[in-house]
Amino acid sequence: MPAHTFHTSGPLTGTIRVPGDKSISHRALMFASLAVGESTIDGLLEGEDVLATASAMRQLGAGIERGDSGTWRVHGVGAGSLLEPRQALNMGNSGTSTRLLMGLLASQGFSATFTGDASLSGRPMNRVIEPLSQMGANFEASSGGTLPLTLRGALPATPITYRLPVASAQVKSAVLLAGLNTPGITSVIEPIATRDHTERMLAGFGAHIEIGKQDGERLISIHGEADLTPQCVVVPGDPSSAAFFIVAALIVPGSDIIIENVGMNTTRAGIVHALRQMGGSIDELNPRDVGGESVADLQVRHSALTGADIDPALAPSMIDEFPALFVAASLAQGTTRTSGLEELRVKESDRLSVMAEALTLAGARVEEHDDGLTIHGTGGDPLTGTPESTSVETNLDHRIAMSMAVAGLASRSGVRVDDTAPIATSFPTFMDLLAGATQ
């Protein structure tokens, strides 16, 4: 378990490019595997989570190869022609892979077992099991609806209209993917809009998707027994990964950095809006559309941040970026309040309690509530934890590790992160990029 101490740094300068978007990378591999013929994927995130998806799709019959140039080629087999896996599908740390594949296999006529690492095996799957059971799939899960879990798909499955009880792109996607191989029309009602990569990309692969309103809420419908056609997918940079460098540049004096090719999908860009609300200088250069996704280069300069009340309605569009936002709030002038973040308690770790403890160790003033944190900032002064006290436990959570690495850049004595290995699940080049940007 490689521990590392992150120290006060010089300004972040130059131009960097973060890896491909994790959410889009997962979906590109899955949907290409369901299209009959060869698709190509450029910019795929080659982190452990996405590689777990690639491994699972190979076990289900797809041909997936990485070319020497970094282009991935996927030979798909069709939405109704997946093969029963001969052994358990090991999802590693990836909740997205697990929940989306549960949906995909819920309408296939065979059984599959899902396993994962210690962190994933503690995460609840009942929110996906419930609607997929309504469609006819059967589940044998561990206590509390966790992995290991065995699913027996229904063939044919039953189309449903499902209203999401919580804002979750993963649950929405699981139901829509189950609907791909289900006769009739399967629909999801979203009271609060969540990231829409699934709808955009399924439509791009030729699925019949309809998006409308029902009683003022978003209604997404998919026509089943779909025939997907191969595509050439270009994956934009991951805004969740860019968030760590955005915050780092905002809080380290003298910083002026450009982050190229960042996905700016409105259902994902909440972190940029929140940091601008706090006074952050974040300019969008060369905005453009790539494969149906909004993309821009971001110029970020050191800024005097001011505490703010973050609108809970922003949460679905930045749910994975809150640990980074908490770090920015710790260095702001005044108080930042967040609420509506119960979802953070069932991520790779309980991100509210883990970040509250980690930032307190680093010298921040943090109050933890059931659904958020209140953070009293330093006004731009460095965090003042001592080297002896500021040893952060990441709880196998990649975003905790990267957030506290950024906090270390603006601390008087540095921040020691107990284990940087989990960072490889989503951002394998993080350490090298950070070292290069702060030279």
Side-chain angles (χ1 to χ4, degrees):
M1 294 196 302
H4 189 87
T5 300
F6 296 86
H7 294 283
T8 304
S9 80
L12 281 78
T13 57
T15 299
I16 64 168
R17 182 174 286 237
V18 298
D21 185 285
K22 186 154 71 104
S23 298
I24 295 174
S25 293
H26 284 305
R27 289 161 173 81
L29 285 170
M30 290 183 191
F31 302 169
S33 298
L34 302 175
V36 178
E38 182 180 280
S39 296
T40 60
I41 308 171
D42 285 302
L44 188 84
L45 170 63
E46 296 180 4
E48 291 171 359
D49 281 8
V50 174
L51 298 181
T53 293
S55 175
M57 297 315 299
R58 287 189 188 104
Q59 286 179 253
L60 295 167
I64 301 177
E65 304 163 355
R66 183 191 189 279
D68 292 339
S69 65
T71 297
W72 288 69
R73 299 187 180 279
V74 182
H75 299 268
V77 295
S81 302
L82 297 176
L83 303 178
E84 182 165 3
R86 295 180 180 177
Q87 56 196 37
L89 302 174
N90 184 353
M91 298 288 93
N93 185 247
S94 182
T96 302
S97 304
T98 306
R99 295 189 177 112
L100 268 59
L101 278 173
M102 285 169 63
L104 187 56
L105 300 188
S107 56
Q108 306 287 327
F110 55 72
S111 295
T113 298
F114 293 84
T115 61
D117 68 8
S119 172
L120 180 61
S121 297
R123 298 179 66 180
M125 297 296 156
N126 286 327
R127 61 177 59 176
V128 177
I129 290 173
E130 180 182 340
L132 298 180
S133 296
Q134 292 179 26
M135 298 182 74
N138 288 305
F139 296 87
E140 294 178 17
S142 300
S143 175
T146 58
L147 305 189
L149 172 154
T150 298
L151 174 162
R152 172 101 200 151
L155 192 67
T158 303
I160 62 171
T161 296
Y162 187 70
R163 185 178 186 274
L164 294 178
V166 295
S168 172
Q170 292 179 1
V171 178
K172 169 180 66 176
S173 299
V175 175
L176 293 175
L177 290 183
L180 266 179
N181 199 44
T182 298
I185 300 174
T186 298
S187 300
V188 176
I189 299 169
E190 274 194 319
I192 301 172
T194 66
R195 59 184 65 178
D196 62 359
H197 304 304
T198 294
E199 302 97 291
R200 287 174 183 263
M201 192 176 288
L202 278 176
F205 272 88
H208 186 180
I209 295 268
E210 295 175 323
I211 299 174
K213 292 281 189 181
Q214 180 171 302
D215 299 327
E217 297 178 331
R218 195 164 180 263
L219 176 69
I220 309 106
S221 300
I222 187 165
H223 293 245
E225 300 178 298
D227 292 320
L228 302 188
T229 54
Q231 301 296 315
C232 298
V233 180
V234 178
V235 181
D238 196 323
S240 297
S241 297
F244 301 107
F245 284 88
I246 294 172
V247 169
L250 291 175
I251 65 175
V252 175
S255 295
D256 186 346
I257 193 168
I258 292 176
I259 310 171
E260 292 183 326
N261 193 47
V262 180
M264 294 297 291
N265 181 310
T266 55
T267 65
R268 292 285 303 283
I271 183 66
V272 172
H273 299 301
L275 290 170
R276 283 176 176 157
Q277 180 187 347
M278 296 171 70
S281 174
I282 307 169
D283 293 325
E284 294 177 38
L285 312 179
N286 189 23
R288 54 205 184 271
D289 186 273
V290 178
E293 293 281 349
S294 299
V295 175
D297 304 328
L298 301 182
Q299 182 172 17
V300 188
R301 300 180 181 92
H302 171 249
S303 304
L305 300 178
T306 304
D309 293 344
I310 305 302
D311 186 349
L314 274 179
S317 66
M318 57 176 291
I319 196 67
D320 287 327
E321 290 76 71
F322 273 99
L325 179 87
F326 296 152
V327 174
S330 298
L331 278 297
Q333 177 73 47
T335 300
T336 299
R337 299 175 182 86
T338 62
S339 59
L341 304 182
E342 299 91 342
E343 175 74 9
L344 291 187
R345 295 202 181 275
V346 293
K347 288 289 188 176
E348 283 85 334
S349 67
D350 179 341
R351 287 180 176 162
L352 290 180
S353 65
V354 174
M355 282 301 295
E357 180 179 352
L359 286 170
T360 299
L361 287 173
R365 292 188 295 143
V366 183
E367 300 164 19
E368 181 182 347
H369 313 291
D370 288 345
D371 68 340
L373 301 182
T374 296
I375 301 175
H376 307 283
T378 66
D381 295 333
L383 296 170
T384 56
T386 65
E388 295 76 23
S389 66
T390 312
S391 182
V392 172
E393 294 185 14
T394 60
N395 289 263
L396 300 175
D397 191 325
H398 53 128
R399 300 205 193 279
I400 301 294
M402 288 185 280
S403 296
M404 293 311 298
V406 170
L409 305 182
S411 65
R412 195 153 280 150
S413 303
V415 170
R416 182 180 183 273
V417 172
D418 71 339
D419 187 3
T420 58
I423 291 173
T425 64
S426 68
F427 199 160
T429 58
F430 174 80
M431 298 287 281
D432 289 341
L433 268 184
L434 190 63
T438 55
Q439 283 181 348

